[in-house]
Amino acid sequence: SAVISQKPSRDICQRGTSLTIQCQVDSQVTMMFWYRQQPGQSLTLIATANQGSEATYESGFVIDKFPISRPNLTFSTLTVSNMSPEDSSIYLCSVRGIAGGRGTDTQYFGPGTRLTVL
Amino acid sequence: QKEVEQDPGPLSVPEGAIVSLNCTYSNSAFQYFMWYRQYSRKGPELLMYTYSSGNKEDGRFTAQVDKSSKYISLFIRDSQPSDSATYLCAMSAGGSNYKLTFGKGTLLTVNP
């Protein structure tokens, strides 16, 4: 499977600021996703990052709050804008369609970015 | 009713025990079933992947799917302290509907 890295691994931010999280994969992948993991909650899909076009957002998530870029097949960014304490969470990058993966529907996850908003 | 239900635990067992982790689901379209293991402060790691009903074994781990009951299980034999983690079930309908639906995860502690 591919090696997925995220930067930063953690951050503490002030209310009202924005943070951009980077996801880098060491091989080309078909699809990239961004998830949020809040304590006691299921992993929740924020959006699918589409290469060369606007991301596809899930219900409850909007582009103004979570702008996403995907300039190529190995890299994506998620920005958490105008942050509030409710945005404190772990944000995870995920990929699908890795050559040699265990199945076409399997997704592999990055290590996550732990965000705390004060 | 949530699409995927998973008992959050926590579950604490002695080393060497057989562990059974379970999820139920309501969407009959789900065909692909996965178990992820997540260590503290790490991302989820794919552990088992199964398609449709039946059993799949990989070392000490066995994944079982019963589509008629909409029930999946993960068994861990001879559990080790290194198995202590949160286990997440996930499933998808497959094909063009690639989205994964996750359970909340079960926190497992294996005591030496």
Side-chain angles (χ1 to χ4, degrees), chain A residues 12-31:
Chain A
I12 300 172
C13 300
Q14 295 298 319
R15 180 195 298 261
T17 63
S18 297
L19 176 72
T20 295
I21 303 168
Q22 299 180 2
C23 177
Q24 179 75 55
V25 192
D26 69 348
S27 59
Q28 293 185 346
V29 295
T30 306
M31 304 183 81

Side-chain angles (χ1 to χ4, degrees), chain A residues 10 31 33 35 37 40-43 45 48 58 90 92 96 102-112 114, chain B residues 32 34 36 38 40-44 46-49 56 58 88 92-95 97-100 102-104:
Chain A
R10 61 192 308 143
M31 304 183 81
F33 308 91
Y35 283 81
Q37 188 174 31
Q41 301 298 317
S42 308
L43 271 167
L45 180 63
T48 302
E58 296 301 303
I90 299 171
L92 293 152
R96 177 177 181 258
R102 292 167 71 172
T104 57
D105 278 277
T106 54
Q107 290 184 23
Y108 299 87
F109 286 84
R114 185 177 294 270
Chain B
Y32 297 87
M34 285 139 273
Y36 287 85
Q38 186 173 23
S40 180
R41 301 184 180 275
K42 301 288 186 183
L46 181 64
L47 197 58
M48 298 289 283
Y49 167 81
K56 184 173 183 179
D58 184 358
L88 306 161
S92 77
N97 190 350
Y98 50 80
K99 296 177 187 177
L100 291 184
F102 283 86
K104 288 187 177 181

Side-chain angles (χ1 to χ4, degrees), chain B:
Chain B
Q1 180 191 11
K2 282 194 172 289
E3 272 198 298
V4 178
E5 299 275 5
Q6 183 176 7
D7 186 342
L11 184 60
S12 181
V13 301
E15 184 174 353
I18 297 175
V19 176
S20 172
L21 304 168
N22 311 294
C23 289
T24 59
Y25 63 95
S26 57
N27 188 345
S28 58
F30 289 146
Q31 294 196 72
Y32 297 87
F33 304 92
M34 285 139 273
W35 286 94
Y36 287 85
R37 178 175 62 194
Q38 186 173 23
Y39 291 114
S40 180
R41 301 184 180 275
K42 301 288 186 183
E45 166 197 9
L46 181 64
L47 197 58
M48 298 289 283
Y49 167 81
T50 54
Y51 169 69
S52 197
S53 285
N55 292 358
K56 184 173 183 179
E57 189 173 319
D58 184 358
R60 296 184 294 110
F61 299 90
T62 299
Q64 191 173 76
V65 175
D66 182 347
K67 288 187 71 179
S68 62
S69 302
K70 297 189 178 65
Y71 188 88
I72 69 170
S73 300
L74 177 70
F75 297 96
I76 307 174
R77 291 184 300 280
D78 188 24
S79 56
Q80 302 295 310
S82 59
D83 295 328
S84 298
T86 297
Y87 290 81
L88 306 161
C89 64
M91 45 200 80
S92 77
S96 60
N97 190 350
Y98 50 80
K99 296 177 187 177
L100 291 184
T101 302
F102 283 86
K104 288 187 177 181
T106 300
L107 176 61
L108 171 68
T109 301
V110 180
N111 300 300

Side-chain angles (χ1 to χ4, degrees), chain A residues 40-58:
Chain A
Q41 301 298 317
S42 308
L43 271 167
T44 303
L45 180 63
I46 296 171
T48 302
N50 299 310
Q51 194 254 330
S53 64
E54 193 171 285
T56 305
Y57 290 85
E58 296 301 303

Side-chain angles (χ1 to χ4, degrees), chain A residues 11-19 36 38-39 60-61 64-66 79-91 114-118:
Chain A
D11 208 341
I12 300 172
C13 300
Q14 295 298 319
R15 180 195 298 261
T17 63
S18 297
L19 176 72
R36 183 170 71 182
Q38 295 180 308
F61 298 96
D64 290 346
K65 177 66 176 178
F66 297 102
T79 299
V80 186
S81 302
N82 188 26
M83 289 184 284
S84 67
E86 291 71 36
D87 295 319
S88 297
S89 184
I90 299 171
Y91 291 87
R114 185 177 294 270
L115 171 63
T116 302
V117 183
L118 302 178

